[in-house]
Amino acid sequence: MDYSRLCRGGGDGHLEALTGDNIDLIAAHLDVTYTVRLAACSRELYDMISKDEGKMHHWDEPCLLMPPPAYWFDEHWDLATASRLHDTVYDLVPLDHPRRSVALPFMHDRKWLGANGDWIAAADHHEWCLVNVYTERHIPLPSLPDSKIRHSIVSYRPAYSFNWGPAIYLLKIVICQVPTKGGRYADYKLIALFDKTIFYLEGGGDWRMLEALTPAPDYPNYCDAIELRGHRKCNTLFVSISNIAENLMLPFVIPPPVVDDQQYAWFLAPSADGKRLMIILTVNKIGIANAEVPPDIPYAANGLQLRQYPPVATYVFELDPLSTARAGDFLWRQVNSLSDHSLFLGLNYPIIANLKKRESKAPDGTLVPFMRKNCVYTAYRNIRYNQYPKILRCNLQPDEGETVGVISLPKDGWDSVRQAAMWFKPALNIARSVLPLKKQ
């Protein structure tokens, strides 16, 4: 389908010859990225596609970005044929609607390492880069300093080592600030989160290692990081979590908000207004006594496999770092409700979605609809976290006996070419802000 012919007036490409039904038919055969480009061809096309009222496109709703299940192969990255379809075409799955395809040609022989908005951080064996999903603008990133770290080629995940110490593993690239046209695409800010260290990069500069300012284990085990910008003094706080002794590194130690025998998965997110820090804890392992596995429930709406598990402890706490009187004097406040919002956490930068039109519970107590407000959704925490290939939905105000909704994905081996599923929110407004919207 040559969508560019629809961008020209006159002849066979004249827009006046197309009705709304024709546009819907054309868009139904295009992937998400080309649908956005089609909308950018003219204001008339943009209006037609944007008024679809969610029947097909479901813009601005968090979806799962993942490889098509038919192309999950258990084979080494370096043995996989780079030209295979699943290297560049992926599934974009709304939680309650039919899945769509999304073409990402720039992912040829690459792995994604993180995402924020319409930007993806990706890597091959030689280069890290930022790429825009819709425009395919490519921004090469500098290499890590050789004086600090050494790259090792491993088939299933990027491996590195301190020049003076043990091997370390890249967990994800946190895109704290996306590049913008106004900033000449050099105003991005990134965190390279390793299990043992953290590097920070501002556009136009070089990676620099962040050092903890207070005593800590020789090699703390980090599991998440964000950049929180203060609203009063415009200062920046680099925040990361260490699961050694369950401490939060800011870069000084803060007592954890919950102390018990559970093993938690830790996530960080800014509050909806971006002014406060939230820490989210949910149990790291879920299951049923006697190793019983609940049956899969096929979801006809999108082909996902759902399961029900017993309730798990999920906590959300927040604090305002700028309200403290002295370093280390932090008071956590438990958040019992996200109101009309839900959190979507994982490899992507945290998404706080306003789901005002959604219910918080299913009317009949079933698993569906799966998209609900006042919930925490968690996916893969890093690029190779596949020990428990499940995606959880935890209600912050569950009814008595309410189960946890789980999206169950097929297991893969450590040497698989499969990429970790992450949350992505398709946005049609990119056609107005980035792509050349033309008057017809």
Side-chain angles (χ1 to χ4, degrees):
M1 175 68 191
D2 184 3
Y3 76 92
S4 63
R5 297 183 67 227
L6 297 173
C7 300
R8 302 191 300 267
D12 295 335
H14 203 286
L15 292 173
E16 292 180 357
L18 296 175
T19 65
D21 290 341
N22 296 142
I23 298 300
D24 288 345
L25 183 62
I26 293 170
H29 288 81
L30 295 177
D31 83 296
V32 173
T33 56
Y34 279 94
T35 300
V36 172
R37 294 175 189 176
L38 177 65
C41 291
S42 74
R43 296 187 183 278
E44 181 181 356
L45 282 169
Y46 180 90
D47 291 341
M48 288 182 182
I49 293 175
S50 63
K51 292 177 181 178
D52 183 57
E53 297 180 352
K55 295 178 182 178
M56 178 172 59
H57 302 293
H58 312 291
W59 304 111
D60 298 316
E61 186 173 283
C63 304
L64 280 172
L65 178 61
M66 61 184 186
Y71 297 110
W72 285 349
F73 293 94
D74 187 17
E75 59 188 354
H76 290 266
W77 186 359
D78 53 358
L79 298 179
T81 304
S83 61
R84 280 182 177 159
L85 176 67
H86 69 283
D87 279 341
T88 58
V89 179
Y90 298 86
D91 277 356
L92 192 62
V93 189
L95 294 188
D96 295 303
H97 303 286
R99 63 182 66 203
R100 299 287 306 278
S101 63
V102 54
L104 304 176
F106 57 85
M107 289 302 298
H108 179 80
D109 204 25
R110 285 193 174 110
K111 295 290 182 182
W112 58 54
L113 307 176
N116 188 348
D118 44 299
W119 288 88
I120 286 179
D124 56 23
H125 287 299
H126 308 288
E127 178 195 59
W128 289 359
C129 63
L130 291 177
V131 189
N132 188 281
V133 170
Y134 302 108
T135 66
E136 298 182 20
R137 177 179 288 273
H138 176 274
I139 303 175
L141 299 177
S143 301
L144 293 170
D146 292 336
S147 61
K148 296 285 187 180
I149 202 168
R150 181 173 60 85
H151 183 203
S152 303
I153 300 296
V154 179
S155 62
Y156 54 85
R157 60 176 174 176
Y160 302 80
S161 64
F162 289 119
N163 286 339
W164 63 89
I168 60 175
Y169 294 99
L170 178 67
L171 303 182
K172 63 180 178 179
I173 298 293
V174 183
I175 306 177
C176 304
Q177 180 171 303
V178 300
T180 64
K181 184 177 180 180
R184 298 181 180 273
Y185 299 101
D187 52 347
Y188 55 86
K189 297 180 180 181
L190 310 177
I191 294 175
L193 179 66
F194 292 81
D195 59 342
K196 304 296 184 184
T197 190
I198 297 175
F199 283 84
Y200 182 73
L201 174 68
E202 292 185 281
D206 294 318
W207 290 101
R208 53 191 175 93
M209 184 183 292
L210 300 183
E211 304 286 352
L213 301 182
T214 54
D218 290 338
Y219 296 107
N221 290 329
Y222 296 110
C223 43
D224 204 358
I226 63 170
E227 182 185 59
L228 186 67
R229 302 189 65 81
H231 63 288
R232 294 178 185 172
K233 299 180 181 179
C234 297
N235 61 327
T236 299
L237 301 172
F238 301 101
V239 186
S240 61
I241 311 178
S242 167
N243 62 13
I244 292 293
E246 296 179 339
N247 290 326
L248 184 73
M249 309 296 293
L250 196 71
F252 44 81
V253 174
I254 299 174
V258 173
V259 179
D260 58 29
D261 295 331
Q262 292 276 13
Q263 292 186 357
Y264 289 100
W266 299 68
F267 297 90
L268 288 172
S271 59
D273 60 10
K275 297 177 181 179
R276 293 178 299 279
L277 169 67
M278 292 197 296
I279 181 170
I280 300 93
L281 297 85
T282 185
V283 295
N284 196 28
K285 298 180 181 181
I286 63 173
I288 298 178
N290 302 321
E292 294 180 3
V293 177
D296 285 338
I297 304 171
Y299 193 12
N302 51 27
L304 292 174
Q305 300 293 320
L306 307 182
R307 292 179 183 176
Q308 290 180 303
Y309 280 85
V312 298
T314 300
Y315 304 96
V316 177
F317 295 86
E318 72 172 8
L319 56 80
D320 186 347
L322 300 181
S323 67
T324 59
R326 66 182 188 275
D329 187 17
F330 283 70
L331 297 177
W332 291 100
R333 180 180 70 86
Q334 185 169 357
V335 178
N336 295 313
S337 174
L338 297 174
S339 186
D340 293 330
H341 295 80
S342 283
L343 277 170
F344 295 82
L345 309 170
L347 193 59
N348 52 282
Y349 201 79
I351 296 174
I352 306 176
N354 189 327
L355 303 176
K356 185 176 182 179
K357 296 182 180 180
R358 292 279 188 164
E359 298 294 331
S360 59
K361 298 178 176 63
D364 57 358
T366 61
L367 284 173
V368 297
F370 204 81
M371 178 77 80
R372 302 177 191 175
K373 62 184 178 183
N374 198 30
C375 290
V376 174
Y377 292 80
T378 61
Y380 291 80
R381 291 189 286 137
N382 60 62
I383 58 177
R384 288 306 310 162
Y385 188 82
N386 67 347
Q387 186 178 5
Y388 300 96
K390 300 178 180 68
I391 297 165
L392 306 184
R393 180 197 62 204
C394 300
N395 194 330
L396 284 189
Q397 294 179 325
D399 290 333
E400 184 177 354
E402 181 176 344
T403 57
V404 171
V406 171
I407 297 174
S408 181
L409 303 179
K411 290 186 177 181
D412 62 346
W414 284 106
D415 294 337
S416 173
V417 298
R418 165 183 164 190
Q419 305 214 58
M422 64 180 177
W423 302 107
F424 178 82
K425 188 166 68 172
L428 188 63
N429 60 7
I430 192 72
R432 301 177 66 93
S433 61
V434 176
L435 296 171
L437 189 62
K438 303 174 183 178
K439 291 184 178 181
Q440 201 60 37

